[in-house]
Amino acid sequence: MILSRRTMIGGLLASMPVVAMAANAEYKIAPVAVADGVWMIHGDDAPILPTNGGAIANIAIIATPAGTVLVDSGPSLRYGRALKTVAEQVTGKPVIRVYVTHLHPDHGMGIAAFDPAIVAALPQTIGDMQRDGRGFADAMYRILGDWMRGTELLLPGRRIEQASEDFGGRTLRLLPLSGHSAADLALLDESTGTLIAGDLLFHDRAPSTPTADLAKWRQSLDALKAVPHHGAIPGHGPFDPSGGAAIAQTRDWIDWLEASLTEAVKSGLDMVEAGNIDIPPRFAGMAAARYELQRSVSHLYPGLEAALLPRVDIQDR
Amino acid sequence: MKRRIPTLILLCAGALLASAPASARAPYPDDPLASPMWQAHATTIFGDDPVRFDPRVKVAFPEIAENQRSFPVALDARGIGPVKRMVIFADLNPIPIAIDYRPKAAEPYIATRIKLDQRTPVRGAVQLADGQWLVSGGWVDAAGGGCSAPPVSRVKGDWAQHLGEMRGEAWPAPGANGGGGVSRLRITFRHPMDTGFVANIPTYNIEAMEVRSASGAVLGDMDIWASVSEDPAITLMPQARAGETLTVEGRDSNGRDYIARVPVSQQSPMPLAAAR
Ligand SMILES: [Zn+2]
């Protein structure tokens, strides 16, 4: 159903080596408690690879009096099913809500394991998933093969139009932001002050920019900073107990990225060279840094050249 | 003016339809990349000229093909000796050759962005003054669709409004081959570069470009195929000093001409470039 056609959506994720995987490999899902009634599942801080089954995004599990709430659902039907089982074991309650933070498939394709009526996302995210979902699915099947078996493309059934949602007294504040993509949902668990930031935050793992608007991303980081909170669950990378380190690091990277690529354009570098510039030592601990830099060159360089190189054509001859 | 080498057209769907006859000549060296199309392309491009694989020819590209419509490739043959032709090609693309460049008074360096239609070898071939070809390259994994997907500007519908816009800049290239007299020219065009593999959109591409000095001397010229990405971007290193003005002239397959003048700035490129 999904693999019938090779569609290319901006090349996102479409470039990894094809490796045949043994059928029925299992995901190892290990939630770690990060606050009272909040667990984080730490994804692999790597690109989407057959060796990790695409389980690279962090997932949050929240126990509420009304039932279990999940933030993001992983890359596949198999992941979503395993996640549901593990989450319900940890909390002792059925999953009653699944939030999708943004359109990227490592966060949202696991909703195939859930009833769309309990899956919620920002309206723009639902529209973007409708537009790009098939392309993402094709790329995921190509990279991950059997890991993706049976994963149907589903859309969230609930549009987030309210500022918070209450689950029997535990309230989650819903923050509609953007910048990593056209619509990025962040959540604040008001009872513990835990910020669940989706891919607006990367921590010790380089940010990815296939759908980024860096100016809006900065505004969203400012907005997250202004929300009183304790720890932060980033979209990728380890839990940030300080709540501020991941915000500062994500901002540092996108500022450096934009300044460096701007300088590269002004220096006359071509895209190959721009992808090979030195990465400062302060980012040495950041996973996938070169990989994401080269992806970002592909995403951002043509636009920077169009903005920075002067017009030189002669129209009236 | 041009000696255009015949284009080998393969089917975008992946079936390989080679139009070149099998070579009856001395065999070409075994392909280290074991490409199914090596012999056919060698016959088309190299003919009877001697060919060998040589790692001094540097073909640089990113570790990942993030965008199959626009994959950056740089071909650098500086320091090997006088070079008369430089060809960038991808064996398994439906339009294998992207650029055939003749650096006349220019360092043997060219960078551009190409389309990838599937996993393919991407190669650079460099012909020295004595006629022999040196070849290098590597496999690039790509999901495909680079040649059969419509250009972004066709999808957006704004291609005609921007057709022919050119941007560019040139800088003195310090340290190039003993320093002095060499510039680095970056030039971009707005052009859909239609491959002819998208329904109802015929082939339409920039097919030639040349760079001239202020006195009109041709510093380098090239043939360009539709496998070069939409909105072509090209880097060259023509011989020109700070303050000189380069003329860049292109022509597309509908006969439309594109002309730009690019002064070589007085400053050296910023430290980032000089360090590399
Ligand atoms: Zn994302």
Side-chain angles (χ1 to χ4, degrees):
Chain A
M1 30 99 248
I2 289 172
L3 264 185
S4 54
R5 197 162 54 86
R6 289 197 310 177
T7 309
M8 224 280 305
I9 300 290
L12 182 78
L13 305 170
S15 55
M16 305 306 301
V18 184
V19 178
M21 285 305 294
N24 296 319
E26 289 302 322
Y27 289 102
K28 290 182 184 62
I29 295 178
V32 174
V34 295
D36 186 26
V38 183
W39 292 261
M40 178 178 124
I41 299 160
H42 186 174
D44 190 13
D45 293 330
I48 293 170
L49 295 170
T51 47
N52 59 34
I56 64 168
N58 294 340
I59 314 281
I61 303 169
I62 305 155
T64 78
T68 300
V69 174
L70 300 176
V71 181
D72 284 332
S73 58
S76 62
L77 173 67
R78 193 182 303 168
Y79 188 97
R81 282 186 177 151
L83 170 65
K84 184 173 189 289
T85 303
V86 168
E88 290 178 349
Q89 276 167 4
V90 163
T91 62
K93 288 185 173 160
V95 173
I96 55 161
R97 176 73 67 250
V98 181
Y99 291 105
V100 177
T101 56
H102 66 296
L103 79 161
H104 292 155
D106 49 328
H107 296 259
M109 289 200 70
I111 63 172
F114 299 90
D115 175 359
I118 67 161
V119 180
L122 294 169
Q124 168 96 41
T125 299
I126 298 171
D128 289 353
M129 288 174 81
Q130 200 157 14
R131 185 195 62 207
D132 292 348
R134 180 164 293 277
F136 285 144
D138 287 354
M140 295 291 274
Y141 267 88
R142 176 173 179 276
I143 298 165
L144 297 174
D146 186 72
W147 287 106
M148 295 297 293
R149 181 156 19 113
T151 307
E152 299 270 1
L153 199 57
L154 294 187
L155 293 176
R158 301 174 75 93
R159 300 159 67 85
I160 296 175
E161 270 147 356
Q162 73 276 38
S164 66
E165 195 167 3
D166 179 81
F167 297 95
R170 189 162 194 159
T171 301
L172 298 180
R173 204 184 305 167
L174 307 174
L175 307 166
L177 300 168
S178 65
H180 172 71
S181 70
D184 295 294
L185 175 69
L187 301 93
L188 180 74
D189 172 38
E190 292 191 338
S191 65
T192 62
T194 306
L195 184 64
I196 304 160
D199 276 3
L200 289 170
L201 293 187
F202 283 69
H203 188 211
D204 294 337
R205 198 279 187 200
S208 68
T209 60
T211 50
D213 177 324
L214 298 182
K216 286 186 178 150
W217 199 337
R218 283 189 196 93
Q219 286 170 14
S220 292
L221 291 171
D222 289 343
L224 292 179
K225 212 169 158 178
V227 173
H229 64 276
H230 298 292
I233 296 179
H236 297 267
F239 179 68
D240 173 14
S242 77
I247 295 175
Q249 196 188 50
T250 302
R251 179 160 193 133
D252 191 14
W253 174 274
I254 64 174
D255 285 352
W256 169 78
L257 179 71
E258 189 165 41
S260 300
L261 297 188
T262 298
E263 194 188 354
V265 169
K266 288 182 172 174
S267 305
L269 299 199
D270 63 63
M271 280 173 53
V272 179
E273 294 167 316
N276 288 329
I277 60 172
D278 293 335
I279 296 172
R282 68 182 187 277
F283 298 129
M286 217 176 223
R290 177 68 59 191
Y291 170 79
E292 292 297 348
L293 169 62
Q294 293 194 347
R295 292 183 71 203
S296 292
V297 168
S298 176
H299 308 145
L300 304 173
Y301 216 67
L304 286 170
E305 285 189 326
L308 295 167
L309 294 180
R311 278 285 288 276
V312 290
D313 50 299
I314 300 165
Q315 275 114 26
D316 301 310
R317 280 175 284 141
Chain B
M1 167 189 164
K2 309 251 175 270
R3 189 168 72 91
R4 198 177 168 99
I5 53 184
T7 308
L8 204 58
I9 298 290
L10 315 180
L11 274 189
C12 218
L16 307 177
L17 282 191
S19 61
S23 175
R25 310 176 187 95
Y28 301 103
D30 283 345
D31 178 17
L33 302 181
S35 159
M37 293 305 293
W38 163 248
Q39 293 291 338
H41 290 325
T43 306
T44 308
I45 299 169
F46 311 128
D48 290 328
D49 297 329
V51 179
R52 66 189 165 86
F53 292 95
D54 191 323
R56 290 177 301 166
V57 173
K58 294 188 190 72
V59 183
F61 42 70
E63 293 163 25
I64 48 156
E66 174 68 9
N67 183 351
Q68 345 286 320
R69 301 167 189 247
S70 182
F71 181 68
V73 181
L75 174 56
D76 184 354
R78 287 175 291 174
I80 298 175
V83 166
K84 58 180 186 182
R85 271 175 74 188
M86 308 179 79
V87 179
I88 294 174
F89 65 104
D91 288 32
L92 302 183
N93 264 0
I95 306 167
I97 296 172
I99 283 187
D100 180 359
Y101 173 46
R102 279 111 12 209
K104 298 203 158 80
E107 291 291 303
Y109 179 93
I110 181 166
T112 191
R113 317 202 269 251
I114 67 171
K115 296 163 189 153
L116 296 176
D117 213 55
Q118 58 179 304
R119 184 171 185 270
T120 177
V122 172
R123 307 192 201 246
V126 165
Q127 189 176 34
L128 302 182
D130 67 5
Q132 74 169 318
W133 287 91
L134 309 181
V135 184
S136 190
W139 279 91
V140 175
D141 189 59
C147 293
S148 46
V152 173
S153 64
R154 291 274 183 194
V155 175
K156 285 202 296 197
D158 67 346
W159 68 274
Q161 285 150 259
H162 298 286
L163 183 71
E165 288 180 13
M166 297 170 74
R167 294 178 183 275
E169 216 162 342
W171 305 263
N177 216 16
V182 174
S183 70
R184 167 177 275 254
L185 168 68
R186 181 89 176 138
I187 191 90
T188 67
F189 296 78
R190 293 296 302 272
H191 201 286
M193 299 297 283
D194 296 310
T195 56
F197 297 122
V198 180
N200 303 318
I201 304 176
T203 309
Y204 179 44
N205 61 283
I206 293 176
E207 59 180 17
M209 185 183 107
E210 69 179 28
V211 179
R212 294 192 301 269
S213 70
S215 66
V218 176
L219 305 177
D221 63 10
M222 67 183 72
D223 296 323
I224 298 173
W225 276 262
S227 48
V228 167
S229 299
E230 179 183 13
D231 299 338
I234 293 170
T235 303
L236 302 175
M237 298 184 72
Q239 289 171 14
R241 293 180 184 281
E244 285 181 47
T245 296
L246 297 166
T247 298
V248 180
E249 195 161 351
R251 192 190 61 237
D252 76 19
S253 51
N254 284 1
R256 182 181 162 133
D257 290 323
Y258 304 88
I259 187 160
R261 294 203 207 288
V262 186
V264 181
S265 66
Q266 296 291 342
Q267 303 115 303
S268 290
M270 297 169 79
L272 195 64
R276 310 213 73 81

